[in-house]
Amino acid sequence: MNKQLAVPNTSSLASVHRKQMLRRLIRNRWLYLMLLPGLLYFIIFKYIPMYGVLLAFKNYQPFLGFNGSEWVGMKHFERFFGDPLFWMLLRNTFVLAIYNIIFFFPLPIIIALMLNELRVVVYKRLIQTLIYIPHFMSWVVIVSIAYLFFTTEGGLVNEAIVALGGEKIQFLLSPDWFRGFITAEVIWKETGWGTIIFLAALAGVDTQLYEAARMDGANRLRQLWHITLPAIRSTIVILLILRLGNFLDTGFEQIWLMLNSLNREVGEVFDTYVYSTGIAQGMYSYSTAVGLFKSLVGLVLVFGANYLAKRFGEEGIL
């Protein structure tokens, strides 16, 4: 005689599942309460404003309002891609972004590895504090310091060059120096702050691995290569992917303060162009289309980098 299989009651299973979720919510209520401000921030300031992206497909007129403005489809994108300025903006933005990836991104890793090797805790904390300070300065202060040192009229560097028998160099007006200055300012301001995540990852490395490596005769360099770097490799990959998401965000305030009529050819980027066309000239729909294009490029880079990371055995972010 065949035994009849018991069919589970789906309604009772759902009820049990809901009770379990409720118990977890109650048990972790303080954690969820701490999560709430951050969640509200992203909903209010990141997701709700995405409705305004539709402005890129309209010919927005303030007196007609958002809903009353004419729908023009891809007109603003066609105008932007057909503008000779597009290739200049793309070139300038890509060059500055690549400079940041090549010269800035590895530095927090290197500094974190160097700090991790320090054994005198007081000395280590002092260095950390000193290299964190520039992060809390505004770009106005950073650019003012650059002007103080490198301006042709009374700049400390140019005065030193003249004192040594040389001629003054127009550091702040020459297009040849602009990209180097932008990258150097970013490095000086943000390198120390960027070490925090890597130092936290290094703190989680099992010290027994180093003890075993020393017993096997591995020197400090071998320990760094075979233990330390593999331990933080996933952190490096995730931060690189996130960095690529902001690949075209070269920073508005810093570049706007460093721009002038002589270096604009190499300094004008998408962020400054959006400001000058959208705010200064009142071309709201057109500037929204430019900003949307920049965001879409970042999205594609994130998905592409995440796909490659997974192909090479890393976890990625998605």
Side-chain angles (χ1 to χ4, degrees), residues 173-212:
L173 300 178
S174 173
D176 297 332
W177 289 91
F178 180 82
R179 290 165 177 162
F181 267 103
I182 294 296
T183 307
E185 288 172 357
V186 172
I187 289 172
W188 186 72
K189 187 176 188 294
E190 301 295 346
T191 297
W193 188 255
T195 61
I196 293 177
I197 296 178
F198 297 108
L199 286 172
L202 289 170
V205 180
D206 190 355
T207 55
Q208 293 181 355
L209 296 175
Y210 294 107
E211 294 174 1

Short mmCIF file of all heavy atoms in Angstrom, two decimals, residues 173-212:
data_model
loop_
_atom_site.label_atom_id
_atom_site.label_comp_id
_atom_site.label_asym_id
_atom_site.label_seq_id
_atom_site.Cartn_x
_atom_site.Cartn_y
_atom_site.Cartn_z
N LEU A 173 49.15 79.28 -15.15
CA LEU A 173 48.57 79.73 -16.41
C LEU A 173 48.89 78.81 -17.57
O LEU A 173 48.20 78.83 -18.59
CB LEU A 173 49.04 81.15 -16.74
CG LEU A 173 48.70 82.24 -15.72
CD1 LEU A 173 49.28 83.57 -16.16
CD2 LEU A 173 47.20 82.35 -15.52
N SER A 174 49.90 77.99 -17.42
CA SER A 174 50.34 77.13 -18.53
C SER A 174 49.50 75.85 -18.59
O SER A 174 49.32 75.16 -17.58
CB SER A 174 51.81 76.76 -18.34
OG SER A 174 52.21 75.81 -19.31
N PRO A 175 48.98 75.51 -19.78
CA PRO A 175 48.24 74.24 -19.93
C PRO A 175 49.09 73.00 -19.62
O PRO A 175 48.55 71.97 -19.23
CB PRO A 175 47.80 74.26 -21.40
CG PRO A 175 47.86 75.70 -21.81
CD PRO A 175 48.98 76.30 -21.02
N ASP A 176 50.40 73.12 -19.81
CA ASP A 176 51.28 71.97 -19.58
C ASP A 176 51.34 71.56 -18.11
O ASP A 176 51.61 70.40 -17.81
CB ASP A 176 52.69 72.30 -20.08
CG ASP A 176 52.74 72.56 -21.58
OD1 ASP A 176 51.88 72.01 -22.29
OD2 ASP A 176 53.61 73.33 -22.02
N TRP A 177 51.10 72.50 -17.21
CA TRP A 177 51.20 72.22 -15.79
C TRP A 177 49.85 71.91 -15.15
O TRP A 177 49.80 71.43 -14.01
CB TRP A 177 51.83 73.41 -15.05
CG TRP A 177 53.28 73.60 -15.33
CD1 TRP A 177 53.84 74.37 -16.31
CD2 TRP A 177 54.38 73.00 -14.63
NE1 TRP A 177 55.20 74.31 -16.26
CE2 TRP A 177 55.56 73.47 -15.23
CE3 TRP A 177 54.46 72.13 -13.55
CZ2 TRP A 177 56.83 73.08 -14.80
CZ3 TRP A 177 55.72 71.74 -13.11
CH2 TRP A 177 56.88 72.21 -13.73
N PHE A 178 48.76 72.16 -15.84
CA PHE A 178 47.44 72.11 -15.22
C PHE A 178 47.10 70.72 -14.68
O PHE A 178 46.74 70.56 -13.51
CB PHE A 178 46.36 72.55 -16.23
CG PHE A 178 44.97 72.52 -15.67
CD1 PHE A 178 44.49 73.58 -14.92
CD2 PHE A 178 44.13 71.44 -15.89
CE1 PHE A 178 43.22 73.56 -14.39
CE2 PHE A 178 42.85 71.41 -15.37
CZ PHE A 178 42.39 72.47 -14.62
N ARG A 179 47.21 69.70 -15.51
CA ARG A 179 46.82 68.35 -15.09
C ARG A 179 47.70 67.83 -13.97
O ARG A 179 47.23 67.14 -13.06
CB ARG A 179 46.86 67.41 -16.29
CG ARG A 179 45.76 67.68 -17.31
CD ARG A 179 46.03 67.01 -18.64
NE ARG A 179 44.94 67.23 -19.59
CZ ARG A 179 45.05 67.05 -20.89
NH1 ARG A 179 46.20 66.64 -21.41
NH2 ARG A 179 44.01 67.29 -21.69
N GLY A 180 48.99 68.18 -14.01
CA GLY A 180 49.87 67.77 -12.94
C GLY A 180 49.49 68.40 -11.61
O GLY A 180 49.53 67.74 -10.56
N PHE A 181 49.09 69.67 -11.66
CA PHE A 181 48.67 70.35 -10.44
C PHE A 181 47.39 69.74 -9.87
O PHE A 181 47.26 69.54 -8.66
CB PHE A 181 48.45 71.85 -10.71
CG PHE A 181 49.65 72.68 -10.42
CD1 PHE A 181 50.44 73.14 -11.45
CD2 PHE A 181 50.01 73.00 -9.13
CE1 PHE A 181 51.57 73.91 -11.20
CE2 PHE A 181 51.13 73.76 -8.86
CZ PHE A 181 51.91 74.22 -9.90
N ILE A 182 46.43 69.45 -10.75
CA ILE A 182 45.17 68.87 -10.29
C ILE A 182 45.42 67.53 -9.60
O ILE A 182 44.90 67.26 -8.51
CB ILE A 182 44.20 68.69 -11.48
CG1 ILE A 182 43.78 70.05 -12.05
CG2 ILE A 182 42.97 67.90 -11.06
CD1 ILE A 182 42.99 70.91 -11.10
N THR A 183 46.22 66.68 -10.23
CA THR A 183 46.51 65.36 -9.66
C THR A 183 47.30 65.48 -8.36
O THR A 183 47.02 64.77 -7.38
CB THR A 183 47.30 64.51 -10.67
OG1 THR A 183 46.60 64.49 -11.92
CG2 THR A 183 47.47 63.10 -10.18
N ALA A 184 48.27 66.39 -8.32
CA ALA A 184 49.08 66.56 -7.11
C ALA A 184 48.24 67.06 -5.94
O ALA A 184 48.43 66.63 -4.80
CB ALA A 184 50.23 67.53 -7.39
N GLU A 185 47.30 67.95 -6.21
CA GLU A 185 46.43 68.46 -5.15
C GLU A 185 45.53 67.35 -4.60
O GLU A 185 45.32 67.26 -3.39
CB GLU A 185 45.59 69.61 -5.68
CG GLU A 185 46.37 70.89 -5.91
CD GLU A 185 45.57 71.97 -6.62
OE1 GLU A 185 44.40 71.69 -6.98
OE2 GLU A 185 46.09 73.07 -6.82
N VAL A 186 45.01 66.51 -5.50
CA VAL A 186 44.18 65.38 -5.05
C VAL A 186 45.01 64.43 -4.19
O VAL A 186 44.55 63.95 -3.14
CB VAL A 186 43.58 64.64 -6.26
CG1 VAL A 186 42.88 63.36 -5.82
CG2 VAL A 186 42.58 65.54 -6.99
N ILE A 187 46.23 64.15 -4.63
CA ILE A 187 47.11 63.25 -3.88
C ILE A 187 47.39 63.81 -2.48
O ILE A 187 47.29 63.10 -1.48
CB ILE A 187 48.42 63.02 -4.64
CG1 ILE A 187 48.16 62.16 -5.89
CG2 ILE A 187 49.47 62.36 -3.76
CD1 ILE A 187 49.36 62.03 -6.81
N TRP A 188 47.72 65.09 -2.41
CA TRP A 188 48.06 65.69 -1.12
C TRP A 188 46.86 65.74 -0.18
O TRP A 188 46.98 65.52 1.02
CB TRP A 188 48.60 67.11 -1.34
CG TRP A 188 49.09 67.75 -0.09
CD1 TRP A 188 50.23 67.44 0.61
CD2 TRP A 188 48.45 68.79 0.65
NE1 TRP A 188 50.34 68.25 1.72
CE2 TRP A 188 49.27 69.08 1.77
CE3 TRP A 188 47.27 69.52 0.47
CZ2 TRP A 188 48.94 70.06 2.69
CZ3 TRP A 188 46.94 70.50 1.39
CH2 TRP A 188 47.77 70.77 2.49
N LYS A 189 45.68 65.96 -0.75
CA LYS A 189 44.48 66.12 0.09
C LYS A 189 43.90 64.79 0.54
O LYS A 189 43.45 64.66 1.69
CB LYS A 189 43.43 66.91 -0.68
CG LYS A 189 42.18 67.29 0.13
CD LYS A 189 41.25 68.14 -0.71
CE LYS A 189 40.09 68.69 0.13
NZ LYS A 189 39.19 67.65 0.62
N GLU A 190 43.87 63.79 -0.33
CA GLU A 190 43.07 62.59 -0.05
C GLU A 190 43.85 61.31 0.20
O GLU A 190 43.26 60.31 0.59
CB GLU A 190 42.11 62.35 -1.23
CG GLU A 190 41.15 63.49 -1.50
CD GLU A 190 40.17 63.72 -0.36
OE1 GLU A 190 40.06 62.85 0.53
OE2 GLU A 190 39.53 64.79 -0.34
N THR A 191 45.15 61.31 -0.02
CA THR A 191 45.91 60.06 0.15
C THR A 191 45.84 59.55 1.59
O THR A 191 45.59 58.36 1.84
CB THR A 191 47.38 60.26 -0.26
OG1 THR A 191 47.44 60.58 -1.64
CG2 THR A 191 48.18 58.99 -0.01
N GLY A 192 46.07 60.43 2.54
CA GLY A 192 46.04 60.00 3.94
C GLY A 192 44.70 59.46 4.36
O GLY A 192 44.61 58.42 5.03
N TRP A 193 43.63 60.14 3.95
CA TRP A 193 42.28 59.69 4.30
C TRP A 193 41.97 58.34 3.66
O TRP A 193 41.27 57.51 4.24
CB TRP A 193 41.27 60.75 3.88
CG TRP A 193 39.88 60.50 4.35
CD1 TRP A 193 38.83 60.06 3.62
CD2 TRP A 193 39.38 60.68 5.69
NE1 TRP A 193 37.70 59.96 4.40
CE2 TRP A 193 38.01 60.33 5.67
CE3 TRP A 193 39.96 61.10 6.89
CZ2 TRP A 193 37.22 60.39 6.82
CZ3 TRP A 193 39.16 61.17 8.02
CH2 TRP A 193 37.81 60.82 7.98
N GLY A 194 42.49 58.12 2.46
CA GLY A 194 42.23 56.86 1.77
C GLY A 194 42.87 55.65 2.40
O GLY A 194 42.50 54.51 2.10
N THR A 195 43.84 55.88 3.29
CA THR A 195 44.51 54.74 3.94
C THR A 195 43.64 54.08 5.00
O THR A 195 43.95 52.96 5.42
CB THR A 195 45.82 55.20 4.60
OG1 THR A 195 45.53 56.18 5.61
CG2 THR A 195 46.77 55.79 3.59
N ILE A 196 42.58 54.74 5.46
CA ILE A 196 41.79 54.23 6.58
C ILE A 196 41.22 52.85 6.28
O ILE A 196 41.33 51.92 7.10
CB ILE A 196 40.67 55.21 6.94
CG1 ILE A 196 41.25 56.51 7.49
CG2 ILE A 196 39.71 54.60 7.95
CD1 ILE A 196 40.23 57.57 7.80
N ILE A 197 40.61 52.70 5.12
CA ILE A 197 39.99 51.41 4.77
C ILE A 197 41.04 50.32 4.66
O ILE A 197 40.83 49.19 5.13
CB ILE A 197 39.20 51.55 3.46
CG1 ILE A 197 38.02 52.52 3.65
CG2 ILE A 197 38.69 50.19 2.99
CD1 ILE A 197 37.21 52.76 2.41
N PHE A 198 42.17 50.62 4.06
CA PHE A 198 43.21 49.61 3.89
C PHE A 198 43.85 49.24 5.23
O PHE A 198 44.20 48.07 5.46
CB PHE A 198 44.26 50.10 2.91
CG PHE A 198 43.74 50.33 1.53
CD1 PHE A 198 43.58 51.60 1.03
CD2 PHE A 198 43.37 49.26 0.73
CE1 PHE A 198 43.09 51.82 -0.25
CE2 PHE A 198 42.87 49.44 -0.55
CZ PHE A 198 42.72 50.74 -1.03
N LEU A 199 44.01 50.20 6.12
CA LEU A 199 44.53 49.89 7.45
C LEU A 199 43.55 49.01 8.22
O LEU A 199 43.98 48.11 8.96
CB LEU A 199 44.80 51.19 8.22
CG LEU A 199 46.03 51.99 7.79
CD1 LEU A 199 46.06 53.33 8.49
CD2 LEU A 199 47.31 51.21 8.06
N ALA A 200 42.26 49.27 8.04
CA ALA A 200 41.26 48.41 8.69
C ALA A 200 41.32 46.99 8.14
O ALA A 200 41.20 46.02 8.90
CB ALA A 200 39.86 49.00 8.49
N ALA A 201 41.53 46.87 6.82
CA ALA A 201 41.65 45.53 6.22
C ALA A 201 42.92 44.84 6.71
O ALA A 201 42.92 43.62 6.98
CB ALA A 201 41.65 45.64 4.70
N LEU A 202 44.00 45.58 6.85
CA LEU A 202 45.26 45.00 7.32
C LEU A 202 45.17 44.55 8.77
O LEU A 202 45.83 43.59 9.19
CB LEU A 202 46.39 46.02 7.16
CG LEU A 202 46.83 46.31 5.73
CD1 LEU A 202 47.77 47.50 5.69
CD2 LEU A 202 47.49 45.09 5.11
N ALA A 203 44.34 45.25 9.56
CA ALA A 203 44.19 44.87 10.97
C ALA A 203 43.52 43.51 11.12
O ALA A 203 43.65 42.86 12.17
CB ALA A 203 43.37 45.93 11.70
N GLY A 204 42.80 43.06 10.09
CA GLY A 204 42.12 41.78 10.16
C GLY A 204 42.94 40.59 9.69
O GLY A 204 42.45 39.46 9.70
N VAL A 205 44.18 40.84 9.27
CA VAL A 205 45.03 39.74 8.81
C VAL A 205 45.49 38.92 10.02
O VAL A 205 45.93 39.47 11.04
CB VAL A 205 46.25 40.29 8.03
CG1 VAL A 205 47.12 39.13 7.55
CG2 VAL A 205 45.79 41.13 6.86
N ASP A 206 45.40 37.61 9.91
CA ASP A 206 45.78 36.71 11.00
C ASP A 206 47.29 36.79 11.24
O ASP A 206 48.10 36.51 10.34
CB ASP A 206 45.38 35.28 10.63
CG ASP A 206 45.51 34.32 11.81
OD1 ASP A 206 46.01 34.75 12.87
OD2 ASP A 206 45.12 33.15 11.67
N THR A 207 47.68 37.16 12.45
CA THR A 207 49.11 37.30 12.77
C THR A 207 49.84 35.94 12.78
O THR A 207 51.07 35.91 12.63
CB THR A 207 49.27 37.96 14.15
OG1 THR A 207 48.55 37.21 15.14
CG2 THR A 207 48.74 39.39 14.12
N GLN A 208 49.09 34.86 12.94
CA GLN A 208 49.73 33.54 12.94
C GLN A 208 50.34 33.23 11.57
O GLN A 208 51.31 32.46 11.47
CB GLN A 208 48.71 32.47 13.31
CG GLN A 208 48.23 32.57 14.75
CD GLN A 208 47.24 31.46 15.09
OE1 GLN A 208 46.83 30.68 14.24
NE2 GLN A 208 46.84 31.41 16.36
N LEU A 209 49.77 33.83 10.52
CA LEU A 209 50.34 33.61 9.18
C LEU A 209 51.74 34.19 9.10
O LEU A 209 52.64 33.59 8.50
CB LEU A 209 49.43 34.25 8.13
CG LEU A 209 48.02 33.67 7.98
CD1 LEU A 209 47.19 34.48 6.99
CD2 LEU A 209 48.10 32.21 7.53
N TYR A 210 51.93 35.37 9.70
CA TYR A 210 53.26 35.98 9.70
C TYR A 210 54.24 35.16 10.53
O TYR A 210 55.42 34.99 10.14
CB TYR A 210 53.19 37.41 10.25
CG TYR A 210 52.41 38.36 9.37
CD1 TYR A 210 51.15 38.80 9.74
CD2 TYR A 210 52.94 38.83 8.17
CE1 TYR A 210 50.43 39.68 8.94
CE2 TYR A 210 52.24 39.71 7.37
CZ TYR A 210 50.97 40.14 7.75
OH TYR A 210 50.27 40.99 6.96
N GLU A 211 53.78 34.63 11.65
CA GLU A 211 54.66 33.82 12.50
C GLU A 211 55.08 32.55 11.77
O GLU A 211 56.26 32.16 11.82
CB GLU A 211 53.93 33.46 13.79
CG GLU A 211 53.63 34.67 14.68
CD GLU A 211 52.78 34.31 15.88
OE1 GLU A 211 52.44 33.11 16.02
OE2 GLU A 211 52.45 35.21 16.67
N ALA A 212 54.13 31.94 11.06
CA ALA A 212 54.47 30.73 10.30
C ALA A 212 55.44 31.05 9.16
O ALA A 212 56.37 30.28 8.89
CB ALA A 212 53.19 30.10 9.74
#
